Amino acid sequence: MPRDTLETAPEAPIVTGHAAKLVDLTRQLGDLFRRETEFLHQHRPEIAQSLHGEKSRLISEYRDTLGKLQTNQHLLGAPDSPQRQYIRAITDGFRETLKEHARIVLRLKAVTEGIVRSVGEEIARQNRPVAAYGRNAAARPTSIARPTSIAINQTI
């Protein structure tokens, strides 16, 4: 998991305005996603979930800032300017963090879906109609088995 993008980023040029805000938001989001991923690795989804409000706020600010920069691309200078290269390097590190985060979230989702599917199959198996024969070997009407309650432990 990438620790910080500064190791791979070119030397930090002077970035101001929306570009500086974008760099700051990208770093904050990267740190937040790394923390959330670590909590998921530690099987502590309740703590990871507590970061949701901050994550939503940062993502909203990130989108707004990115939109402003896309509208005013001239603020970043030429396409090969040091500012653009720096932002690109920071963003590439952030994308790696997101890939790692998505990998663990998808893995946990698959595990959870498997558990839910297994519980559903067990309930269906236990609720199958019971076929039985009476004293004179005639088939009795089928009866439905009693409903069964199954609880899922939330710890993954």
Side-chain angles (χ1 to χ4, degrees):
M1 182 163 49
R3 191 53 224 142
D4 194 359
T5 56
L6 290 179
E7 293 91 28
T8 59
E11 188 173 321
I14 297 174
V15 287
T16 59
H18 294 303
K21 185 174 181 181
L22 182 69
V23 168
D24 184 50
L25 288 170
T26 302
R27 286 189 173 143
Q28 288 180 44
L29 278 168
D31 290 342
L32 187 85
F33 277 105
R34 278 190 287 278
R35 285 190 352 233
E36 187 175 32
T37 301
E38 188 59 35
F39 289 137
L40 293 174
H41 273 296
Q42 296 171 357
H43 304 290
R44 299 171 71 190
E46 66 283 351
I47 297 175
Q49 186 178 14
S50 70
L51 301 174
H52 184 69
E54 183 182 0
K55 184 170 55 172
S56 294
R57 181 187 65 77
L58 288 173
I59 288 171
S60 177
E61 282 186 56
Y62 182 85
R63 274 193 210 125
D64 290 345
T65 305
L66 193 59
K68 289 173 185 173
L69 279 174
Q70 287 174 341
T71 303
N72 301 305
Q73 291 184 15
H74 66 279
L75 296 175
L76 295 174
D80 59 344
S81 70
Q83 290 84 0
R84 284 184 189 244
Q85 290 175 0
Y86 180 68
I87 291 172
R88 189 173 297 121
I90 297 291
T91 304
D92 288 345
F94 179 57
R95 284 189 185 122
E96 289 301 315
T97 299
L98 287 178
K99 282 181 191 176
E100 172 67 17
H101 182 73
R103 187 184 65 76
I104 190 161
V105 167
L106 290 174
R107 185 174 67 198
L108 292 174
K109 179 181 179 248
V111 168
T112 303
E113 287 175 347
I115 291 170
V116 170
R117 190 177 315 111
S118 296
V119 168
E121 289 169 357
E122 179 64 18
I123 289 172
R125 186 187 67 74
Q126 290 182 6
N127 286 337
R128 276 192 222 135
V130 178
Y133 293 98
R135 282 191 239 161
N136 61 358
R140 284 191 292 181
T142 59
S143 61
I144 305 292
R146 290 187 353 225
T148 305
S149 175
I150 298 178
I152 298 176
N153 183 350
Q154 291 184 347
T155 304
I156 296 177

